[in-house]
């Protein structure tokens, strides 16, 4: 009888762990879908320079030219080994808002050394700007984003 209780407890723990994982995955997919569906409604983009801890750019009417046309079209999980290739603190944080309410925020991470070996998986996510190599990192989901055309334009104009 004692072995049966232990077995049932272990099964319950396994089911809870799998249930929690499924719940988190569903939550992530819902958040991604919300961002994709509401990207057209973004009417404000804010850029904060982390080095001086100050908002250096904020837009209202011209946000359409700086928001990504296809947000989250190619995302991937960032491995710990790859994260170590970048500076600990982001150079910039870009926040996309709808009527002053945050839709999502991304960090712009700078590569520490260009000499570091970069995995082939990571290369499509990198972009060059003003002699530095950057990557868009969605901290909340531990994901990296490939689209960067309008983000590059935005950062290039600063």
């Amino acid at each position: 009888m004692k072995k049966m209780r232990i077995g049932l407890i272990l099964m319950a723990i396994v089911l809870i762990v799998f249930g929690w994982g499924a719940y988190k995955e569903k939550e992530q997919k819902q958040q991604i879908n919300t961002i994709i569906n509401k990207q057209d409604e973004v009417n404000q983009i804010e850029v904060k320079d982390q080095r001086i801890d100050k908002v250096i750019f904020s837009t209202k009417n011209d946000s359409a030219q700086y928001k990504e046309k296809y947000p989250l079209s190619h995302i991937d999980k960032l491995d710990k080994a790859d994260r170590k290739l970048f500076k600990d603190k982001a150079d910039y944080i870009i926040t996309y808002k709808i009527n002053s309410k945050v839709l999502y925020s991304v960090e712009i991470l700078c590569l520490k050394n260009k000499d570091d070996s970069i995995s082939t998986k990571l290369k499509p996510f990198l972009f060059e700007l003003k002699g530095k190599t950057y990557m868009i990192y969605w901290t909340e989901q531990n994901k990296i984003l490939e689209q960067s055309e309008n983000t590059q334009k935005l950062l290039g104009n600063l």
Side-chain angles (χ1 to χ4, degrees):
M1 190 69 174
K2 190 173 186 179
K3 288 182 182 180
M4 189 171 167
R5 282 186 194 158
I6 292 173
L8 287 173
I9 291 171
L10 289 176
M11 267 184 39
I13 291 171
V14 168
L15 288 174
I16 289 171
V17 168
F18 282 124
W20 180 254
Y23 170 76
K24 286 306 235 179
E25 188 175 321
K26 182 181 176 187
E27 192 176 88
Q28 282 181 349
K29 286 180 182 179
Q30 284 177 335
Q31 189 173 16
I32 290 170
N33 285 335
T34 300
I35 291 169
I36 290 170
N37 294 334
K38 294 191 177 245
Q39 181 66 13
D40 289 340
E41 298 174 33
V42 169
N43 56 14
Q44 185 179 4
I45 300 172
E46 200 174 84
V47 180
K48 181 179 180 183
D49 189 330
Q50 285 288 88
R51 297 166 291 190
I52 58 174
D53 197 31
K54 182 178 178 184
V55 174
I56 58 171
F57 181 80
S58 185
T59 177
K60 283 256 185 207
N61 299 330
D62 55 347
S63 65
Q65 65 179 326
Y66 295 121
K67 62 184 173 185
E68 294 296 340
K69 292 178 177 115
Y70 306 105
L72 312 180
S73 59
H74 185 200
I75 61 176
D76 205 346
K77 187 170 174 62
L78 182 62
D79 298 329
K80 285 184 182 182
D82 287 336
R83 177 62 178 99
K84 290 179 182 179
L85 297 173
F86 295 87
K87 294 180 180 176
D88 292 333
K89 190 173 184 180
D91 283 4
Y92 305 99
I93 295 178
I94 301 176
T95 305
Y96 298 89
K97 297 180 177 183
I98 300 172
N99 300 326
S100 298
K101 183 181 175 197
V102 174
L103 179 62
Y104 71 108
S105 292
V106 294
E107 292 185 350
I108 308 301
L109 301 178
C110 184
L111 189 65
K112 287 180 187 175
N113 300 316
K114 287 190 176 191
D115 300 333
D116 289 340
S117 61
I118 298 169
S119 66
T120 54
K121 178 189 128 185
L122 189 61
K123 284 183 182 179
F125 296 94
L126 302 177
F127 63 93
E128 294 281 330
L129 187 68
K130 298 178 183 178
K132 294 183 179 180
T133 304
Y134 290 101
M135 175 183 66
I136 302 172
Y137 178 56
W138 187 12
T139 312
E140 189 177 332
Q141 299 288 340
N142 191 33
K143 307 267 187 200
I144 49 178
L145 314 176
E146 183 177 4
Q147 83 278 352
S148 61
E149 183 179 311
N150 289 340
T151 302
Q152 288 180 50
K153 187 167 79 171
L154 173 64
L155 294 174
N157 289 337
L158 298 178

